[in-house]
Amino acid sequence: MMKKRMFMLLLSALMLVQFTACSETTTDDGTASGDTAAAPSVEEETAAETTEEDILNALLAEVPGGDYGGHAFTMLNNESNFAYTLMTAEELTGEGINDAIYNRNVAVAEKLNIKISENMVAYSQVTTDMNNCIAAGDDAYDCFWNESKFVAPFAINGNLLNVNDITAINLENPWWNGKALSDVQFGDYQYFLVGDLHLMFKESYWMCGFNKNIIDENSLGDPYELVREGKWTLDQMKTYMSTVAVDLDGNGVMDGNDRFGVTCYTGCTAAFALAADETFIERGDDGVPVLVTPDDRFYAVYEKIVDTMYDPANTFVCISGKTQNIAQYKDEWHGVFSSGHALFYLEPIGSLKKLRDMDAEFGIIPFPKYDEAQEDYTTYIAGYAAFCGVPITASDMQRTGVILENLCAYSYGELRQAYVDTTLNFKYIRDQESAEMLNLILDSGRFSLTDILAVTIPVDTYTSNASAAKMELASAYAKIVKPAEKLLDKNVKKLLKIE
């Protein structure tokens, strides 16, 4: 708590500087004057000397240190076909993310007298290798990363340490994602870590890309303003999509040669549901996860998603595996957008790399709300967001905690900024508004407990029925309630150590 108070005090000081600067006006003789003539207080004078760098340095000074005698800190890490996952860098190359990782690791290695290394393997191999190590009692890896849906079973099966027992890790520090971590806290147990140290976590936030040229050509309203005004909804999105769709080759069939309102794959269904503030598993009054009992709004959201995205009459939707003639483009449905053949592009942030050669101007916004009555935008953090787990075979969990706390802390400045810069470093996405929207997306992320608790029956039923354009869901959903509740109860008891 002391670290959090220090951060809040320093942040308040910095905000006071900014407020004081904004409240000043300039007189006719060019001198500055505020709203009053009072002399600055001691707090204001202190704030005037406080910078963001001061705040970071003060926080870093509180991070625990130690001398671990050259310990070889070894991580098992997953490869990805869309996201940044590297935790080490061999040398400085001039590339922002690489150099930030290199500088971070050098700083932490020197501070703690350790050697940092990682073993990069396919996501499926991470599971195999860690299970083998745990079965053999082998402490080859101090920690490991993999997609959250693959790390979750390790916790359920009792093979991860409770991070709350690692005193060196302070999850209240700003380099850990406290909001997302609260989603995956179970009673007194916290098995997973997410923060600034591993970028695949940020890469897995769903977003909506849009082609600015198509917006302008069709005299549509500014999507950024719609978001700011709280008017970016499913209905608004459908209106935009239907407006811009054109059978460009005039053959009467909407295929890869034409222009669509949106391009995506069916994985977007869960993202739409969560963006509409509908979940499949929620916290009960006691904080214990329970299966959601569908109400009228639950089904209304489902029907609107089907009506917007999967109704066969909607020729303005390009969906992987359903729309003809999109294999002509590199990366198929991604290429439909990058070639200028779709207004919207629904994907996780990490997929923006596929658009680096796009010639048209584009931007990013969050997924739409269900309606304007919904208060906030919500972003789905996909089940392939990377979790860090500390296996029960870790030989010294407190040492591991000190190292992870330092790695995350030293990622908070340079690596965090390098990620934002790199993510927005495209030919036509350099506008400040996209940076604003990226921050909104990252600030509004939520996990789906179906992924974390390995109870995917509800969302699988929801997605399969929606993609088949079945408007009625209640009967199909009723059939999965009992098996889903049984599996959920079983997994929750394991996580909470209930016999």
Side-chain angles (χ1 to χ4, degrees):
M1 290 299 293
M2 183 177 294
K3 296 177 185 177
K4 185 175 183 181
R5 285 197 297 271
M6 174 176 286
F7 171 71
M8 295 307 296
L9 286 170
L10 288 168
L11 184 59
S12 297
L14 183 58
M15 291 174 66
L16 181 58
V17 165
Q18 295 168 338
F19 173 79
T20 302
C22 291
S23 67
E24 289 182 344
T25 59
T26 304
T27 63
D28 291 339
D29 62 2
T31 59
S33 65
D35 294 333
T36 68
S41 66
V42 173
E43 289 81 4
E44 289 171 332
E45 289 178 344
T46 301
E49 300 172 359
T50 303
T51 66
E52 291 183 43
E53 185 176 357
D54 293 330
I55 294 174
L56 178 58
N57 288 338
L59 285 168
L60 291 177
E62 293 295 311
V63 176
D67 184 338
Y68 294 113
H71 170 67
F73 182 76
T74 308
M75 304 169 284
L76 183 62
N77 198 4
N78 66 301
E79 298 171 341
S80 172
N81 64 353
F82 80 99
Y84 297 111
T85 62
L86 284 174
M87 283 292 294
T88 60
E90 294 184 1
E91 60 183 1
L92 295 172
T93 64
E95 191 277 319
I97 289 177
N98 176 89
D99 290 359
I101 291 173
Y102 178 88
N103 291 333
R104 174 197 68 190
N105 289 1
V106 167
V108 173
E110 290 179 351
K111 176 181 178 180
L112 302 178
N113 188 16
I114 60 174
K115 297 177 181 178
I116 300 173
S117 65
E118 67 178 330
N119 184 18
M120 294 284 294
V121 298
Y123 67 86
S124 58
Q125 193 63 42
V126 172
T127 296
T128 299
D129 289 356
M130 281 312 310
N131 277 328
N132 289 341
C133 284
I134 291 168
D138 186 351
D139 65 349
Y141 298 109
D142 295 270
C143 64
F144 70 101
W145 272 270
N146 205 357
E147 298 179 15
S148 58
K149 61 186 177 182
F150 298 125
V151 179
F154 283 90
I156 293 168
N157 293 327
N159 289 325
L160 295 184
L161 294 176
N162 182 7
V163 174
N164 290 334
D165 292 333
I166 304 178
T167 57
I169 294 179
N170 182 358
L171 298 181
E172 293 181 337
N173 275 326
W175 38 80
W176 299 109
N177 191 308
K179 186 175 181 180
L181 284 167
S182 67
D183 280 345
V184 294
Q185 171 87 19
F186 303 101
D188 295 327
Y189 297 93
Q190 178 63 261
Y191 298 100
F192 316 112
L193 289 170
V194 290
D196 288 335
L197 73 172
H198 195 288
L199 296 179
M200 190 178 181
F201 171 60
K202 293 183 173 70
E203 298 271 81
S204 302
Y205 284 60
W206 277 78
M207 58 90 203
C208 177
F210 68 94
N211 186 313
K212 293 184 179 182
N213 295 356
I214 297 177
I215 291 285
D216 293 340
E217 290 168 8
N218 289 272
S219 301
L220 299 174
D222 182 359
Y224 295 132
E225 282 303 313
L226 289 174
V227 172
R228 295 188 189 105
E229 294 170 1
K231 297 180 179 179
W232 176 231
T233 64
L234 269 167
D235 283 340
Q236 189 69 65
M237 183 179 190
K238 183 178 179 181
T239 297
Y240 275 35
M241 293 192 300
S242 60
T243 298
V244 306
V246 178
D247 180 8
L248 294 175
D249 60 10
N251 67 354
V253 177
M254 291 294 288
D255 59 22
N257 295 318
D258 302 314
R259 187 171 73 193
F260 295 90
V262 65
T263 181
C264 59
Y265 78 105
T266 56
C268 69
T269 309
F272 273 117
L274 197 66
D277 270 351
E278 289 297 336
T279 59
F280 304 95
I281 297 174
E282 62 185 358
R283 304 275 184 169
D285 293 338
D286 56 359
V288 176
V290 295
L291 200 67
V292 165
T293 300
D295 57 13
D296 290 344
R297 188 181 187 278
F298 180 93
Y299 289 119
V301 167
Y302 170 82
E303 290 167 7
K304 184 158 286 191
I305 293 171
V306 174
D307 176 67
T308 303
M309 297 298 298
Y310 299 110
D311 187 332
N314 294 346
T315 56
F316 47 76
V317 179
C318 173
I319 298 182
S320 173
K322 295 188 176 184
T323 302
Q324 299 178 15
N325 201 24
I326 63 173
Q328 62 180 298
Y329 299 107
K330 180 182 179 182
D331 297 319
E332 295 192 335
W333 76 94
H334 308 278
V336 171
F337 181 73
S338 62
S339 65
H341 284 261
L343 170 58
F344 294 122
Y345 174 67
L346 306 178
E347 272 288 309
I349 290 171
S351 292
L352 287 172
K353 300 179 194 66
K354 299 180 184 294
L355 310 179
R356 291 210 180 277
D357 297 327
M358 183 170 173
D359 289 327
E361 188 176 5
F362 71 97
I364 58 174
I365 52 177
F367 262 61
K369 299 189 293 183
Y370 171 59
D371 57 22
E372 291 185 35
Q374 182 179 323
E375 186 173 352
D376 298 314
Y377 295 97
T378 303
T379 297
Y380 175 42
I381 307 173
Y384 36 79
F387 273 169
C388 175
V390 181
I392 57 174
T393 50
S395 57
D396 187 336
M397 71 175 184
Q398 298 302 337
R399 177 183 62 201
T400 297
V402 170
I403 296 170
L404 287 173
E405 184 74 15
N406 276 272
L407 284 172
C408 204
Y410 281 86
S411 302
Y412 184 59
E414 185 182 0
L415 181 56
R416 172 188 279 236
Q417 188 59 50
Y419 177 73
V420 172
D421 292 344
T422 301
T423 299
L424 298 179
N425 186 24
F426 292 84
K427 188 184 296 185
Y428 292 114
I429 197 176
R430 296 175 184 269
D431 59 85
Q432 184 59 38
E433 291 169 310
S434 283
E436 173 193 347
M437 294 297 148
L438 177 62
N439 286 326
L440 189 158
I441 290 167
L442 293 175
D443 287 343
S444 62
R446 288 184 60 191
F447 285 108
S448 172
L449 288 176
T450 57
D451 298 325
I452 311 308
L453 293 168
V455 183
T456 62
I457 304 171
V459 69
D460 290 344
T461 301
Y462 192 97
T463 298
S464 62
N465 279 265
S467 61
K470 297 179 180 178
M471 191 62 74
E472 198 277 327
L473 177 67
S475 58
Y477 205 82
K479 295 177 182 177
I480 59 92
V481 168
K482 286 187 177 180
E485 286 180 335
K486 182 178 180 180
L487 180 58
L488 176 61
D489 181 65
K490 174 184 174 183
N491 289 350
V492 168
K493 284 182 177 178
K494 287 184 176 180
L495 288 171
L496 295 177
K497 310 296 184 185
I498 298 174
E499 298 296 333

